[in-house]
Amino acid sequence: MTDVLIVGAGPTGLTLACDLARRGIAIRIVDKSPGHPRSSRAKGPNPRSLEVLEDLGVVEAVLAAGSAPLPMRKYRDGVPVADADPYAGSAPTPDAPYDRGRLIAQWRLEEVLRDRLAGYGVAVETGTEVVGLTDDGTSVTVALADGSGTSARYVVGCDGAHSRVRKLLGVTFEGETAEDQVMVCGDVEIDPGLLDRGIWHQWFDEDGAVMLCPVPGTRTGWWFQSGPERDAGGRPLAPSADGFRRLFARHTRLPGAHLTEATLLSTYRVNVRMADRYRVGRVLLAGDAAHVHAIAGGLGMNTGIQDAFNLGWKLAQVLRGRAGTELLDTYEEERLPVAAWTLDLTSERLRATLEAIRKPGGGLDSAITSSTSGLDRGYRWSSLARPGGEGDVRSGDRAPDAPCAVAATGAPTRLFLAFAGPHLTVLGFGAGTERALRDAAAAHGDAVRAVRVHGADAPEPATGTAVPYALHDREGHARAAYGISRDTVVVIRPDNHVGLISDTDGFDAVRRYLEALDGVREPDPMSGAGMVDGTRKG
């Protein structure tokens, strides 16, 4: 029997599949599309999603395939009136290695994730549509459109805003659709040399707009977004290649024939909706299946990727018998409030952008704020959060990065490289934390990486004598990031959020916390945890 059936092979489903597969969980991932979509759609991962992709081992491929965010040129009546670079003056910091997102076509990001998944022996099963679910309390029986069926210990619906899984569960999707806020979108080809491909061009006129952003990795491909053409009654017309040419000519004042091809045309309406539950028994929802919102700020795909990263380790721990099923309740507890915040933020950013473009020089840069980076989202309210700590970082927060050195060799490294992988991390700052580190390693084995962090003013550890996973915080960045002023233990969850910050008087709290997340339980005898199989039919 498959441990987890993932329905939907977009970025959310693929992120979850990669995370579960590397943890040794038997998965299948299916998608009703007959082939892999070639649409550019979402424009790329934000800084927090880049951190997730780094942990999964694919960030170098993403960076190579994409480009940095482009400066924006705003036009009025066909004439350039302003340039803006929302990231001018920003740079990576010791605690945040990515100060900006990455432009990459969604199909290319999905390709990178599928390649990673293939390394675990798992392939997406296209043309496979789920039409029925029956949860008997121990497994889920799944009916497929071709008349066949399968079963899984858990099912996760990552199948988009029109999610069949959500509908089969009867989960409400409350919210509203702004019928008057309509945009037509597509991938277009434009004659080479006509427009500077180092610019995101934005024509905003009183009677409409056209936005053209070059698709990285292509010679003549562009993302096309525009207000729709309308009929005599003011109703929006369906997008068409000829319509795109007319819109292009009207707003750019260039001949429409320069737009040589338009594909994957779609109409977008602003939907602001959220599921009232993320879990019903053994079936869970993630990504657009659980929440949709305005595109301002580019948080749609990113919120889904981060849903998946929150859920993956929790499913794995439950399936492997290392945690009780109550751990799955914390997925909704943590991610549903983030979705609600995202709906509010993107709606506010949309209002700000619509206001900005009424005046010459306004543009999509109005949608970008520090909050759209995803770096400030944490779970301080969570039942997994514990009190403690002296600095700005608290339990539930995103765990900061910091440059360090490998104590044994002096080679440069980073905290994120210690966190990367399917384990909890225990950081011990100061000599007084040795016992806690030894106890954690002895009790939990490979499930916990115990890391001693030597201080900047400590003697350089002698080569060859340092304990495994010992780091030297030469410049004090790690201590500064976590607000460390005395001997302190910091537990980092597998999704790279802070679980617990404790001084040496709280070692029992550290032990109890680790046991809650990685206890010693017998695994479910019906589970295939420990196997990776993307093709078994149940």
Side-chain angles (χ1 to χ4, degrees), residues 120-158:
Y120 299 112
V122 181
V124 174
E125 301 173 44
T126 55
T128 306
E129 183 177 3
V130 170
V131 296
L133 299 170
T134 304
D135 182 349
D136 66 7
T138 60
S139 65
V140 183
T141 301
V142 181
L144 303 176
D146 64 2
S148 66
T150 188
S151 58
R153 305 301 300 158
Y154 288 91
V155 172
V156 184
C158 305

Side-chain angles (χ1 to χ4, degrees), residues 437-445:
L437 296 176
R438 288 197 306 269
D439 290 351
H444 299 276

Side-chain angles (χ1 to χ4, degrees), residues 452-486:
R452 169 71 189 282
V453 185
H454 295 274
D457 55 353
E460 188 80 20
T463 301
T465 63
V467 298
Y469 304 119
L471 302 177
H472 196 196
D473 185 20
R474 287 173 171 168
E475 299 177 13
H477 290 303
R479 278 170 168 73
Y482 289 86
I484 304 299
S485 62
R486 54 184 172 175

